[in-house]
Amino acid sequence: MPDQEKHCLLITDFTTGTLASIFENDAEEPKIASFSAPFSQTVQTLLDSDAPCWEERPDVTFVWSRPESVLPSFAGVLQYESVPFEELKVEVERFVGLLTAASTRTSLMLVATWVAPFAGRGLGMLDMTHPGGISGTLLRLNALLAEAVGRISNLYLLDSQRWLQAAGGQGVSPKLWYMAKSPFGNAVYADAVKDIKAAVRGVSGKARKLVIVDLDDTLWGGIVGDIGWENLTLGGHDPIGEAHADLQRELKALTNRGVVLGIVSKNEQSVALEAITKHPEMILRESDFAGWKINWQDKAQNIVALVEELNLGLESVVFIDDSRHERARVREALPEVLVPEWPVDKMLYADALRKLRCFDSPVLSVEDADRTASYVSERKRSSLLEQAESLSDWLNSLETVVTVESLNDANLARTAQLLNKTNQMNLSTRRMTAPEYQKWANDDGHRVFTFRVADRFGDAGLTGIASLKVNGNKGSIVDFVLSCRVMGRKVEEALVHFICAEAGRLGVEQIEAVYLPTERNKPCREFWLRSGFETDDDVFFRWNPADEYALPPSINLKVVRP
């Protein structure tokens, strides 16, 4: 299903015709309709909250300014005048103040870093080290900007220098500037649009979470079943072997960003796993993969099976395979899966992975970095379940601890991330930015609680949210969110126990939960149907907090009060 069209306000000090045209014609989701603030009125537009462009709160606001237009003293730097850096620093602070005020008028604000497209070589060999050097000064100014805007929860900085580098000699055009007041070539604007769309997807919880890779001639060189693991091309001083090893390094680096890895390969499983275990140049080992399907079945079917096993959705998947036939098969059978075209030249594999924008996320949390470990822990839990005599014995053996905290500054970013990314166990499937959620939580009668889950196999981190809206003696559970990583271990019941007890403590005489169905949250409905709450229509659920909602005996609940 296509994303709903977003509206993007462009605030620049150059003409935006080319940028707007690329937005209009770019087919990649989400669809973005752009409109522009008055030409070359960046500061005025940011200052004026009553300007017509702010009348309908834009979904996205993109600010792209030349440094000399918003920092008056930088014009002196361009003329090699002696400008005290403290003067520039004050001007940066003023500009950040304008951005801060304007960020309250938009859901998401994106700001491009400063470049000086026509500065040439500046002071040449002194430009990076001399106090008056243009390049060195810009680096320091952008560092100040990055540090300051990092404190604005719905504002993100985009690296415009990368767009210019990617465009090469076509990045800057003095001729275009004189003719149309447009300093950059089309390739720069196209790259900017792609980064803006990646940011919008990330904030909307649509970042890809799972990379599924092929093995033969993808993760390593050669067909392991034909030549044996000892003869694979991997690592060493061979250029192709180095390229395969670098691809593995890049994949492993992604796991530190919260992306998990899986394998779908046509191979004998024992042979393939032996290579992963024994080859001395392997960067990735079994513990780096959340799961695998290594057999001779159709790869599209195997992807579906692996995704279901990991409790993820197909829209979370990136599939990497050297075979264009396998890529075409998966692309046709599973349109939700992102199947990037892959280079024929193996020495370009790592670079192709680095250039993917599908993993952009507004938050990098401890929970993200530990995601692969959590899947490995889940395999251990599953193994223990197979040995247990009963479900209750297994649950008790996990020694699960659920820790409850109120929403606060420290957990806000992760809470908003969980709210926007969770689909299956999500009562209302609300999507809100961190500032919007904080504002809602601060309203009278609203309470938001977060839940951390740990057991003897590991700490899953902040994986649950429950919010309560109290109106007189009635209470409503608005958000009931739980990561799929901890579903099915009685954590759901622990959340309900706490929220019912909290409602009773506040004098609530009836608590209700309204299930809003989506394509993905049927597991949430199934839970509420067996929750013990009264229901007439399988949508509206009721409970009297005077009746204690039992805490599962396998759960140790710890409540941290502010």
Side-chain angles (χ1 to χ4, degrees):
M1 180 183 295
D3 294 331
Q4 185 176 3
E5 184 177 74
K6 305 289 185 181
H7 294 89
C8 179
L9 170 61
L10 305 176
I11 303 177
T12 70
D13 50 20
F14 46 84
T15 56
T16 58
T18 302
L19 192 59
S21 177
I22 293 173
F23 269 122
E24 183 178 351
N25 294 290
D26 189 84
E28 189 177 24
E29 292 291 335
K31 184 69 176 174
I32 293 181
S34 65
F35 61 104
S36 300
F39 169 71
S40 197
Q41 293 187 25
T42 302
V43 172
Q44 297 93 315
T45 303
L46 294 173
L47 269 172
D48 187 5
S49 60
D50 295 323
C53 59
W54 298 113
E55 286 181 0
E56 292 188 16
R57 179 184 173 94
D59 300 303
V60 188
T61 297
F62 179 49
V63 181
W64 195 355
S65 62
R66 293 174 298 128
E68 64 269 30
S69 73
V70 293
L71 309 175
S73 297
F74 191 76
V77 176
L78 292 175
Q79 295 299 311
Y80 308 120
E81 297 174 1
S82 179
V83 178
F85 191 75
E86 285 301 315
E87 192 173 312
L88 288 163
K89 185 176 180 180
V90 169
E91 292 176 358
V92 171
E93 291 170 352
R94 288 174 184 162
F95 183 64
V96 170
L98 297 179
L99 295 174
T100 303
S103 69
T104 63
R105 307 173 209 142
T106 184
S107 297
L108 171 66
M109 178 171 279
L110 303 173
V111 178
T113 55
W114 289 311
V115 293
F118 305 124
R121 297 182 61 251
L123 293 176
M125 62 193 293
L126 293 175
D127 204 50
M128 290 297 294
T129 56
H130 192 279
I134 295 171
S135 298
T137 300
L138 267 179
L139 279 175
R140 296 172 69 189
L141 293 176
N142 277 317
L144 286 174
L145 182 65
E147 182 180 4
V149 302
R151 296 189 288 268
I152 307 171
S153 57
N154 68 329
L155 194 156
Y156 300 91
L157 208 57
L158 302 183
D159 184 4
S160 62
Q161 185 64 46
R162 189 174 63 231
W163 307 333
L164 268 70
Q165 289 172 343
Q170 305 301 312
V172 176
S173 174
K175 189 172 181 178
L176 271 176
W177 176 252
Y178 291 123
M179 295 178 64
K181 289 295 175 284
S182 177
F184 307 114
N186 287 5
V188 175
Y189 294 120
D191 241 24
V193 166
K194 290 184 182 298
D195 270 5
I196 291 168
K197 288 196 169 188
V200 172
R201 290 194 299 269
V203 169
S204 302
K206 297 184 180 297
R208 302 277 171 165
K209 306 180 210 176
L210 170 63
V211 177
I212 296 178
V213 293
D214 176 44
L215 293 178
D216 293 333
D217 283 324
T218 301
L219 214 57
W220 53 59
I223 311 298
V224 68
D226 291 342
I227 63 176
W229 65 263
E230 302 92 339
N231 298 307
L232 294 175
T233 304
L234 181 61
H237 298 291
D238 180 275
I240 301 299
E242 288 184 21
H244 284 293
D246 277 348
L247 173 64
Q248 292 194 26
R249 288 188 182 91
E250 292 297 328
L251 288 166
K252 191 174 181 70
L254 280 178
T255 65
N256 294 324
R257 295 175 55 180
V259 178
V260 295
L261 306 179
I263 299 170
V264 165
S265 172
K266 289 183 178 177
N267 253 309
E268 290 295 334
Q269 178 170 298
S270 60
V271 173
L273 292 180
E274 183 182 30
I276 293 172
T277 301
K278 291 186 176 181
H279 198 292
E281 300 290 340
M282 278 291 296
I283 307 298
L284 297 170
R285 299 295 183 180
E286 280 190 31
S287 60
D288 292 306
F289 295 97
W292 50 78
K293 296 295 176 185
I294 304 173
N295 52 47
W296 298 103
Q297 297 176 19
D298 175 60
K299 287 192 176 183
Q301 293 177 344
N302 272 333
I303 289 172
V304 171
L306 180 58
V307 168
E308 289 179 350
E309 181 180 296
L310 298 177
N311 274 321
L312 294 172
L314 291 172
E315 71 281 356
S316 301
V317 178
V318 179
F319 176 61
I320 295 175
D321 197 305
D322 69 295
S323 168
R324 62 185 179 89
H325 300 293
E326 296 289 6
R327 294 197 302 269
R329 161 63 183 155
V330 172
R331 194 178 287 124
E332 180 181 7
L334 307 173
E336 306 97 324
V337 173
L338 175 63
V339 186
E341 278 307 316
W342 210 239
V344 174
D345 188 342
K346 293 175 172 56
M347 287 186 281
L348 298 179
Y349 280 9
D351 188 59
L353 181 64
R354 283 190 292 263
K355 288 179 177 177
L356 293 178
R357 290 176 165 89
C358 55
F359 308 114
D360 286 21
S361 176
V363 176
L364 180 56
S365 64
V366 173
E367 288 82 4
D368 291 328
D370 292 341
R371 185 166 287 127
T372 297
S374 73
Y375 279 107
V376 174
S377 297
E378 188 58 35
R379 284 206 295 270
K380 295 178 182 177
R381 293 185 191 96
S382 298
S383 176
L384 184 64
L385 177 60
E386 293 174 1
Q387 303 170 28
E389 294 184 1
S390 68
L391 178 61
S392 61
D393 288 344
W394 176 70
L395 290 170
N396 289 330
S397 71
L398 294 179
E399 301 172 7
T400 303
V401 177
V402 177
T403 304
V404 190
E405 286 185 316
S406 296
L407 185 69
N408 56 52
D409 291 341
N411 60 36
L412 174 61
R414 168 58 183 166
T415 303
Q417 181 191 38
L418 187 65
L419 183 78
N420 286 300
K421 291 176 68 174
T422 306
N423 293 301
Q424 295 184 81
M425 188 62 70
N426 195 326
L427 185 67
S428 60
T429 324
R430 295 201 296 171
R431 305 305 191 198
M432 303 174 75
T433 64
E436 289 170 340
Y437 201 48
Q438 181 69 76
K439 184 176 182 298
W440 185 88
N442 290 340
D443 286 348
D444 289 342
H446 294 180
R447 288 169 172 78
V448 177
F449 301 96
T450 67
F451 300 82
R452 301 184 63 89
V453 179
D455 63 20
R456 68 186 181 95
F457 290 108
D459 188 343
L462 197 163
T463 45
I465 309 167
S467 68
L468 181 65
K469 179 180 179 180
V470 177
N471 185 8
N473 60 1
K474 292 186 178 180
S476 300
I477 300 175
V478 181
D479 300 302
F480 183 83
V481 178
L482 191 67
S483 169
C484 61
R485 288 188 282 160
V486 295
M487 286 166 51
R489 291 189 243 155
K490 296 297 181 180
V491 178
E492 299 94 320
E493 287 84 351
L495 266 65
V496 177
H497 162 82
F498 173 80
I499 209 72
C500 287
E502 188 69 13
R505 191 174 72 87
L506 296 170
V508 170
E509 296 178 2
Q510 178 172 295
I511 190 169
E512 63 184 30
V514 180
Y515 166 72
L516 300 178
T518 69
E519 292 182 357
R520 298 286 310 281
N521 71 347
K522 291 179 183 176
C524 189
R525 175 179 176 271
E526 292 168 1
F527 165 73
W528 284 99
L529 286 174
R530 65 175 186 271
S531 68
F533 273 53
E534 294 181 5
T535 183
D536 299 322
D537 53 10
D538 298 348
V539 171
F540 186 88
F541 298 87
R542 301 178 302 278
W543 184 269
N544 183 350
D547 299 325
E548 181 184 4
Y549 193 95
L551 176 68
S554 60
I555 300 292
N556 179 6
L557 187 70
K558 295 183 177 180
V559 181
V560 179
R561 297 287 181 185

